[in-house]
Amino acid sequence: MQKLTKALLIAALLPVVAYAQDSTQFIKGSWKELTARAQKEHKPIFIDTYFEGCHACKDMEVKVFPRPEVKRYMEENFICTGYDVFKEEFGMELCRKYFMRGFPTYLVISGEGKLLNRGAGYQEPDRFMAFLKENVARYKEGRYLAGFGTSLSSKDPDFYRAMWNKDYKGGNKEEIAAYLAKQKDKLAESSFKVMQMSRELPAGYREFYLKNREAYLARFGEELNNNILDGLLKQDIATLPAILDMTVFTAFLQKQQQVYGAGDWSYVQMFYAENYLFKKCKDAKAFLEFAAAHPDKNENRVRYMNFYMGADMAKDPALKALYLKWAEPVVTADASLETLQMLAYMSKGLDEKAQAKKYFGWLVAKKKAWGDDAVREEKELRDLDI
């Protein structure tokens, strides 16, 4: 593993070199060299961007990349490379090009420089393999996020590029608004990236964005577009009273359903519920009752809301029961280990044996599929039958 770390810190512009290591075989090279090799081998480029001290980045290096099935699949289907975004200028250029602010972020790019897709965060082996396979399919089908140009250089304003400077202290909203107001093409790469900086889109942009959201999604992908959507939804929530009134909230939802597309509505209403009922009004029960009545299939929300609501649930078992009710239709056997473990032990603690057996059973199956030790979970299952 030390060889991998050393290899990933070598300067980006060195000639293409391969490194033998315990993990997936990464190479280093200039943009020109990487794209040339990708074209020659008819493979897309997989780029891992990370930084030293990033826990999720290290987990991918230690727990996921070295797995035989992952290593083999990446070697057979990708030109693999990686860059430290703080130590390597090429890594920083990738950040500016593709608006990357959280790590690890993964980029999949064709030999012609076209962005196929991006992913982020720690991903368990099965989910990471699914991500890789999805992008092999996108490559073969020629499905790209065409909003990004094929060159690393782009006509971005200086204030945008300054976001990645060490002394950056935040953007000037008047400067951002003035720049966007002058843009003739609101769907252009630089326009879209500067939109990411705006806490409140200037006049004309909100209506244009919502009207053309499908085009934005096709051009730039879901992750960055959800940043913009979340900003719009936060502006909406600011109009609601700080004291919870469910009649007002229900009327608000009915009104907003006419604003946002049907494809987004499930996400939108749960965003409103989380950020208004729980975060603004601090009413855990109201949120869980709403979530249980309007499940949106977002397992990740079930996972992270346990962190936010843990103190409330520790005081009130009734909230745990509501939590389990919400999770029931949302969480499947494909959920993360963290989510399944949390729900298994929560169910056990409430003496919900049927649910506990289901979640422990899924845990056992997932761990065995990975070739991992499932002795503890198997014992839990046996104890539930006593």
Side-chain angles (χ1 to χ4, degrees), residues 30 44 58 96 111 113-114 127 141 162-163 178 189 201 225 237 268 275 277 286 295 326 377:
S30 68
K58 190 66 176 179
R96 296 187 182 106
K114 298 178 182 179
R127 293 191 171 190
E141 295 165 11
M163 286 185 72
E189 176 183 328
L201 292 179
N225 273 288
I237 291 171
V268 167
N275 288 274
L277 299 178
W326 168 35
E377 290 78 13

Side-chain angles (χ1 to χ4, degrees), residues 105-153:
T105 291
Y106 320 110
L107 301 171
V108 184
I109 299 172
S110 76
E112 294 74 33
K114 298 178 182 179
L115 181 66
L116 284 143
N117 205 355
R118 60 190 288 161
Y122 174 74
Q123 297 187 20
E124 292 178 347
D126 53 346
R127 293 191 171 190
F128 187 62
M129 283 291 290
F131 173 76
L132 294 176
K133 291 177 180 180
E134 175 194 357
N135 286 294
V136 168
R138 290 180 68 93
Y139 176 72
K140 291 179 178 179
E141 295 165 11
R143 291 189 286 128
Y144 306 105
L145 299 178
F148 290 99
T150 58
S151 169
L152 272 184
S153 62

Side-chain angles (χ1 to χ4, degrees), residues 206-246:
R206 180 187 178 105
E207 182 179 352
F208 182 87
Y209 178 78
L210 291 176
K211 183 178 180 181
N212 294 278
R213 180 162 158 78
E214 290 301 317
Y216 278 104
L217 286 166
R219 289 174 64 81
F220 300 104
E222 185 174 341
E223 179 187 346
L224 294 181
N225 273 288
N226 278 354
N227 291 344
I228 294 176
L229 180 61
D230 290 355
L232 298 179
L233 300 180
K234 288 176 181 177
Q235 292 174 37
D236 298 340
I237 291 171
T239 67
L240 289 168
I243 305 300
L244 177 59
D245 184 328
M246 284 303 295

